[in-house]
Amino acid sequence: MAIDDLIQDATRRMDKSVEAAQAEFTTLRTGRASPALLDRVQIDYYGQQTPLKQLATINAPEPRMLTIQPFDPNSVAQIERAIQESDLGLTPSNDGKLIRLPIPQLTEERRKDLVKLVRRYAEEGKVAVRNVRRDVMRHLEELVRNGEVGDDEERRGETQVQKLTDEHTARIDELLKHKEAEIMEV
């Protein structure tokens, strides 16, 4: 049935929106060292923008320290520069082979900035979910206009899509609540 296909597609796309929001949350610094902090860092490696995790091993040997061991020792300077230019606000130090990245304690002001950023990411995720809902509603209207389904089936489909939308926005809100608590934790 066409409506069931639309619902399955909507579920898949909404799940991806939630996963994308969650991935954005993991790249934010919370005061604890996590290799996921560096997921967004791109290095200009021989003229090619390359993710840091493809060029080095990233470890968290201590709660407030990340170590980056490049596979190519010649790339240490580029990696260090890319980290300094990123929006992470971290200062790397290296010994020629290994880059140490101390994670400083977050200030109250920085915590509030991060909470604003997390809320923006959450809102972007919710907007993506609502866009999926809008697309599906438009497709349902087309099916009715083309005479493929009746009004009752359309209403049933709209109710299912609204329920899916509510569930997915609630999941994003839950992720947001946890991330805010993690950021504000001293």
Side-chain angles (χ1 to χ4, degrees):
M1 182 96 193
I3 291 179
D4 293 335
D5 293 343
L6 283 175
I7 301 291
Q8 284 179 344
D9 182 53
T11 304
R12 189 176 45 73
R13 289 169 53 199
M14 287 180 183
D15 286 344
K16 282 186 181 172
S17 297
V18 171
E19 288 167 17
Q22 189 171 17
E24 288 287 347
F25 290 171
T26 61
T27 63
L28 288 174
R29 196 171 74 142
T30 57
R32 277 197 289 281
S34 164
L37 284 176
L38 301 172
D39 282 355
R40 289 187 302 182
V41 176
Q42 299 279 321
I43 286 66
D44 183 14
Y45 188 65
Y46 293 108
Q48 188 79 27
Q49 287 298 316
T50 311
L52 175 59
K53 59 185 173 186
Q54 291 181 8
L55 297 176
T57 304
I58 304 167
N59 291 313
E62 302 168 24
R64 297 209 169 277
M65 173 77 69
L66 285 175
T67 58
I68 303 160
Q69 175 87 48
F71 303 131
D72 175 7
N74 299 328
S75 65
V76 169
Q78 290 107 315
I79 292 173
E80 197 171 17
R81 186 171 44 253
I83 292 170
Q84 286 171 336
E85 292 171 357
S86 73
D87 61 351
L88 294 172
L90 299 175
T91 309
S93 64
N94 81 63
D95 61 10
K97 292 182 180 148
L98 185 74
I99 298 173
R100 285 182 177 68
L101 202 54
I103 311 290
Q105 192 75 10
L106 292 171
T107 63
E108 189 64 30
E109 185 180 325
R110 181 70 178 140
R111 287 178 196 278
K112 287 179 181 166
D113 289 345
L114 287 173
V115 166
K116 285 179 190 169
L117 193 58
V118 166
R119 287 182 180 153
R120 193 178 82 217
Y121 289 156
E123 189 54 39
E124 287 170 4
K126 289 187 213 174
V127 166
V129 168
R130 290 192 295 264
N131 285 342
V132 172
R133 179 188 64 192
R134 189 190 62 223
D135 289 348
V136 172
M137 294 294 200
R138 198 171 52 236
H139 286 301
L140 284 171
E141 289 170 11
E142 278 178 30
L143 288 175
V144 170
R145 249 184 283 128
N146 296 341
E148 294 176 40
V149 296
D151 287 343
D152 291 346
E153 290 171 317
E154 179 195 20
R155 266 195 243 56
R156 183 181 56 84
E158 286 176 354
T159 306
Q160 284 180 303
V161 171
Q162 187 57 51
K163 190 173 143 213
L164 270 177
T165 304
D166 294 342
E167 288 170 7
H168 285 82
T169 52
R171 280 176 43 200
I172 290 175
D173 284 336
E174 192 63 31
L175 292 169
L176 171 65
K177 194 172 84 180
H178 286 301
K179 192 64 177 185
E180 280 182 351
E182 192 179 312
I183 288 172
M184 294 312 284
E185 177 186 304
V186 177

